[in-house]
Each structure stands twice: as C-alpha cells, then as structure tokens.
Amino acid sequence: MNPLRNTTSVRKSKLIFTLDKPYSDTKWPALSPEVQAAILDSLCSFLSPIGAYRGQRLSFSKGKSGRRTSKKRKRPINEDLSKLPMQSAAPEVLDFVTVGFNTTTHHLERLAQTCTGNTATSAGPVVTHGDQVNSDRMIHKHLIAIFVPRAEQPKILHSHLPVLIKTASLGSPDLLPIRLVPLASGAEAQLSKALGIPRVGIVGLMDHAPNASQLVQLTRAHVPAVEIPWLQESTSGVFLPTKVNTIHSTTSADSKKIGRAKASTSAKESQQRTGRC
C-alpha cells in the first residue's frame, strides 16, 4: 500500500511576521490613461527628428550571414523616413534629452550633488575629451521631466528614480521640481520607433528644449511633483517604532507526514534495487 494515497491534506492557518522600514512608502504619481496617452504622443512627436536622423544617416551591420552568402538581404526601409529631406546636421533636440538608464541616472546624480554641496565628479569609466566636453555642456541643464515605461520594466531599473529626482530638484530650489512621468504599457515600442533604436528604458527632457512647449505644459499641468515623506521623517528627530508586518497564510497540517512518507518510499525503493543487484 502506498502511504501517500491515504494522506489527507488539511489546511491550517499560519501567521508570518516580517520586519519592514518604519518610514512611509514612496508613491509614484498616478495618471489617468488619457493623460498618459496625450503625454506619450507629444513626447514621440518631439523625439521624431532624432529617429529620422538616425534612419537616414546611420548604416547597420549586415552580420556574418551577409558575408557568407552571395545573396544580400536588404533591410526594409521605413517609407515615412525616406520621404523626409536629408538632414545635414544632427537635430538640435539631441542636446536636450537623455536616453537610457546610465545617461539619465548620471545626469540626476550630478544635479543631486549640488544639493549635498559635493560638486566633485563621481567615479566612473574613462571618457574621451570630446565626450567630456559634451557631458560638461549638458550637465548644467536642469531636467524638466523623466519619462519611464514603468509597466514594461523590472522594478530594479526604476526604483531609485523617485529619491534621486527629489534630491536633484532640491539642488535647484529656484526652479520647478523635476516631474516623474510613468507611461502606460506599450510606450516603449512607440519611443523606440520615434528614436530609431531597438529599446528605450528611460528618457529625460532638459529645460529650454526647442519645440517642447506643448510637452512641457502637459507635463507640468497634469503630473504632480515627487514627494518623499521619509526624507523629512528621517531628519525630524522623532523616534519611529519598529514596523512588523503580519501576513496570514495557510499550510498543510500533514506536510511533515507527506515528507516522511516520501523519504521512506525512496529508501525502500533504493534497498530493493540494491538487493536485485
């Protein structure tokens, strides 16, 4: 007789206790789907010159398969970009945006250093003289907003942004605070098409960007400033008690018996195989 067949699974309640930080949780701005769609359309329209420039000027690698075979596969041409006139120079908006996790985070960190009084450059990879000139030219520009397709990313990629945006805004108290704009699902594909790159995680918009008045007005009118309650709570000098979370869960009353029965059955089968040998 198999001892596992006669085992009845009875569920019983169980309390699980976990420790949590005593500070208030950080919340992202809540936007309606209509506002998110309007901001996304305006942002893609603002970024479209960058995608047109990349589509006309940059050549793509054909890969190893193109060199091995005599037949050449042509990359499909975007008809919308082919109808646009050729641009002799990079669009001006390139100097007023940050694209990607590293670029945007580094820009926010430099702005936040003015809040702490530390103006030294943080440690990082060695850059060329040209890259350093571009970085120094862009680093003094205040950011208006950070756009994040939050629904399509793991939390680890954007969990640092609220605190970093708040501290960067505190570094320039005479300017309007930087807005954090969460975009709806599907925004990453539209941003990738507008920029002409495979993937887009974070986009930052700098102050005084050309042709961005509509986008700036939408963002500042409908997106509230980021609030980090624990920044004030940690400096208030008030004692905060330990926070213990209680989670109600269920477990099988016969889980230990099932485990012992499985171990016993495995031992018997092993002995039988040894005896046959």
Side-chain angles (χ1 to χ4, degrees):
M1 180 182 296
N2 191 347
L4 298 180
R5 294 181 179 177
N6 296 334
T7 305
T8 58
S9 59
V10 179
R11 312 294 294 184
K12 66 176 183 178
S13 61
K14 180 181 179 181
L15 296 179
I16 300 176
F17 302 96
T18 60
L19 293 178
D20 196 359
K21 57 183 183 296
Y23 306 113
S24 302
D25 294 332
T26 302
K27 296 182 179 180
W28 283 55
L31 306 179
S32 64
E34 294 77 13
V35 171
Q36 288 181 325
I39 291 177
L40 179 60
D41 291 341
S42 182
L43 178 61
C44 291
S45 177
F46 169 74
L47 298 174
S48 59
I50 301 177
Y53 174 77
R54 289 181 58 87
Q56 293 174 353
R57 290 292 177 181
L58 300 183
S59 59
F60 299 90
S61 173
K62 298 179 181 179
K64 295 181 179 179
S65 59
R67 296 192 297 266
R68 292 176 181 174
T69 60
S70 58
K71 296 182 180 179
K72 297 181 179 179
R73 298 179 181 177
K74 296 182 179 181
R75 180 180 291 270
I77 301 176
N78 192 335
E79 296 181 357
D80 296 335
L81 298 181
S82 61
K83 296 178 182 179
L84 298 176
M86 292 291 292
Q87 302 182 21
S88 58
E92 189 180 0
V93 296
L94 270 175
D95 294 334
F96 294 88
V97 294
T98 62
V99 180
F101 175 88
N102 293 331
T103 305
T104 307
T105 300
H106 181 64
H107 197 105
L108 288 170
E109 288 175 347
R110 294 291 296 270
L111 293 177
Q113 286 175 357
T114 60
C115 174
T116 60
N118 181 15
T119 57
T121 304
S122 58
V126 179
V127 297
T128 61
H129 177 68
D131 293 337
Q132 185 63 44
V133 170
N134 293 334
S135 178
D136 293 340
R137 181 182 60 185
M138 296 173 59
I139 208 64
H140 299 289
K141 295 180 181 178
H142 185 70
L143 285 168
I144 294 178
I146 304 295
F147 304 90
V148 185
R150 185 187 178 193
E152 304 172 77
Q153 295 179 356
K155 186 178 180 181
I156 193 173
L157 291 181
H158 55 252
S159 59
H160 66 292
L161 288 177
V163 177
L164 195 54
I165 288 175
K166 181 64 176 181
T167 53
S169 299
L170 294 176
S172 302
D174 54 330
L175 299 176
L176 292 176
I178 304 172
R179 300 303 202 269
L180 177 59
V181 185
L183 300 177
S185 179
E188 183 177 353
Q190 298 185 46
L191 292 176
S192 299
K193 182 179 179 181
L195 288 168
I197 55 180
R199 298 198 64 179
V200 181
I202 303 174
V203 177
L205 174 65
M206 298 183 190
D207 201 1
H208 304 297
N211 304 321
S213 57
Q214 180 183 2
L215 177 59
V216 173
Q217 291 176 2
L218 278 172
T219 302
R220 288 178 172 172
H222 297 92
V223 182
V226 178
E227 296 296 337
I228 310 296
W230 64 262
L231 285 178
Q232 289 76 24
E233 296 171 356
S234 61
T235 58
S236 62
V238 179
F239 173 76
L240 298 176
T242 303
K243 184 178 180 181
V244 181
N245 295 330
T246 304
I247 303 174
H248 293 270
S249 179
T250 58
T251 182
S252 175
D254 299 329
S255 58
K256 294 183 179 180
K257 294 181 180 180
I258 295 175
R260 288 195 296 266
K262 288 183 178 179
S264 177
T265 304
S266 299
K268 291 180 180 179
E269 292 178 353
S270 178
Q271 291 178 359
Q272 292 176 359
R273 289 194 297 267
T274 305
R276 292 172 183 175
C277 295

